[in-house]
Amino acid sequence: EAAVTQSPRSKVAVTGGKVTLSCHQTNNHDYMYWYRQDTGHGLRLIHYSYVADSTEKGDIPDGYKASRPSQENFSLILELASLSQTAVYFCASSDRGGQYFGPGTRLTVL
Amino acid sequence: GEQVEQLPSILRVQEGSSASINCSYEDSASNYFPWYKQEPGENPKLIIDIRSNMERKQIQELIVLLDKKAKRFSLHITDTQPGDSAMYFCAARQGTGSKLSFGKGAKLTVSP
């Protein structure tokens, strides 16, 4: 099974601060994704990437940036964190089949 | 992007009975349909998937059916156990690219 790790696993940030969430995969997958999940809700795609040094906007990209410096690593950056960005963030990777998710990062913005 | 509707959002069944979750999609070019199980505090895990060249797939107690004409697919869990209690998400991938569109999820509770 795909191995996707995320760091940190939880974080408390202040409003207006900068937050960086990191994701690392060891499966040689070309595609990587960032989703957010709000309590009791589904998964919404923020950004994704199909090759290193390139990122694409997902369905809810506003307020987020992404960086894919290598095939293995994909970061999500919140330049100015806001209360509405409190959520659980999942990273995933895939080839042309199913996506495999990391353990998630619980972000609380105060 | 692709829209995926998932129903019901909540279902409760007795242990040993069957549970069914239904999803529909809009884009006839969608060609890959995975299902994920998410337990509380955990990440979504891929449990079964089906491609558009198939109508039925079974892995142990999990059965997925795909009706391309109706643009519907469904997950059936036979002989449910309390350990099947979780959130289940369906998803669909459009013909090109790798993006998945997810349903809003179904919370399954299996009572002993």
Side-chain angles (χ1 to χ4, degrees):
Chain A
E1 187 174 334
V4 181
T5 56
Q6 294 181 232
S7 62
R9 293 294 312 278
S10 66
K11 183 171 181 65
V12 178
V14 296
T15 303
K18 182 177 180 178
V19 176
T20 300
L21 307 183
S22 299
C23 179
H24 179 79
Q25 56 104 354
T26 58
N27 306 294
N28 203 34
H29 285 165
D30 287 330
Y31 301 94
M32 295 187 74
Y33 314 82
W34 277 107
Y35 292 89
R36 69 176 279 172
Q37 185 174 41
D38 296 278
T39 302
H41 288 78
L43 296 152
R44 293 186 289 171
L45 182 65
I46 307 170
H47 286 286
Y48 66 103
S49 168
Y50 54 86
V51 67
D53 295 321
S54 177
T55 64
E56 305 292 332
K57 293 181 179 179
D59 299 323
I60 54 163
D62 293 345
Y64 303 94
K65 292 182 180 180
S67 174
R68 181 95 181 269
S70 64
Q71 185 190 41
E72 297 80 16
N73 296 293
F74 193 32
S75 296
L76 185 68
I77 303 136
L78 291 65
E79 295 279 1
L80 295 169
S82 66
L83 295 173
S84 64
Q85 293 177 313
T86 292
V88 177
Y89 291 84
F90 287 103
C91 175
S93 75
S94 76
D95 47 20
R96 291 290 295 163
Q99 294 180 13
Y100 295 90
F101 286 82
T105 295
R106 182 172 298 277
L107 175 65
T108 303
V109 182
L110 302 176
Chain B
E2 172 70 285
Q3 298 292 320
V4 177
E5 298 294 325
Q6 183 172 353
L7 290 171
S9 57
I10 299 172
L11 64 164
R12 299 182 178 90
V13 301
Q14 290 291 119
E15 181 178 358
S17 65
S18 297
S20 297
I21 304 169
N22 301 293
C23 290
S24 62
Y25 60 98
E26 294 183 343
D27 189 346
S28 57
S30 293
N31 60 11
Y32 175 70
F33 307 90
W35 286 86
Y36 290 84
K37 176 183 181 182
Q38 185 178 27
E39 299 184 70
E42 299 289 320
N43 58 350
K45 292 179 173 62
L46 179 66
I47 55 173
I48 191 169
D49 56 12
I50 190 167
R51 298 185 185 273
S52 57
N53 61 351
M54 302 175 69
E55 295 180 349
R56 184 182 190 278
K57 183 174 181 178
Q58 181 168 2
I59 298 177
Q60 297 180 332
E61 79 281 5
L62 303 176
I63 299 171
V64 174
L65 302 177
L66 173 62
D67 183 342
K68 287 182 291 185
K69 284 187 178 180
K71 291 189 276 189
R72 294 178 184 169
F73 57 112
S74 56
L75 174 68
H76 305 272
I77 306 173
T78 61
D79 189 24
T80 55
Q81 301 299 311
D84 294 324
S85 297
M87 285 289 290
Y88 290 82
F89 294 95
C90 63
R93 186 183 72 196
Q94 293 177 275
T96 59
S98 66
K99 288 173 55 178
L100 291 176
S101 295
F102 285 86
K104 292 187 181 300
K107 183 177 181 180
L108 171 64
T109 301
V110 180
S111 302

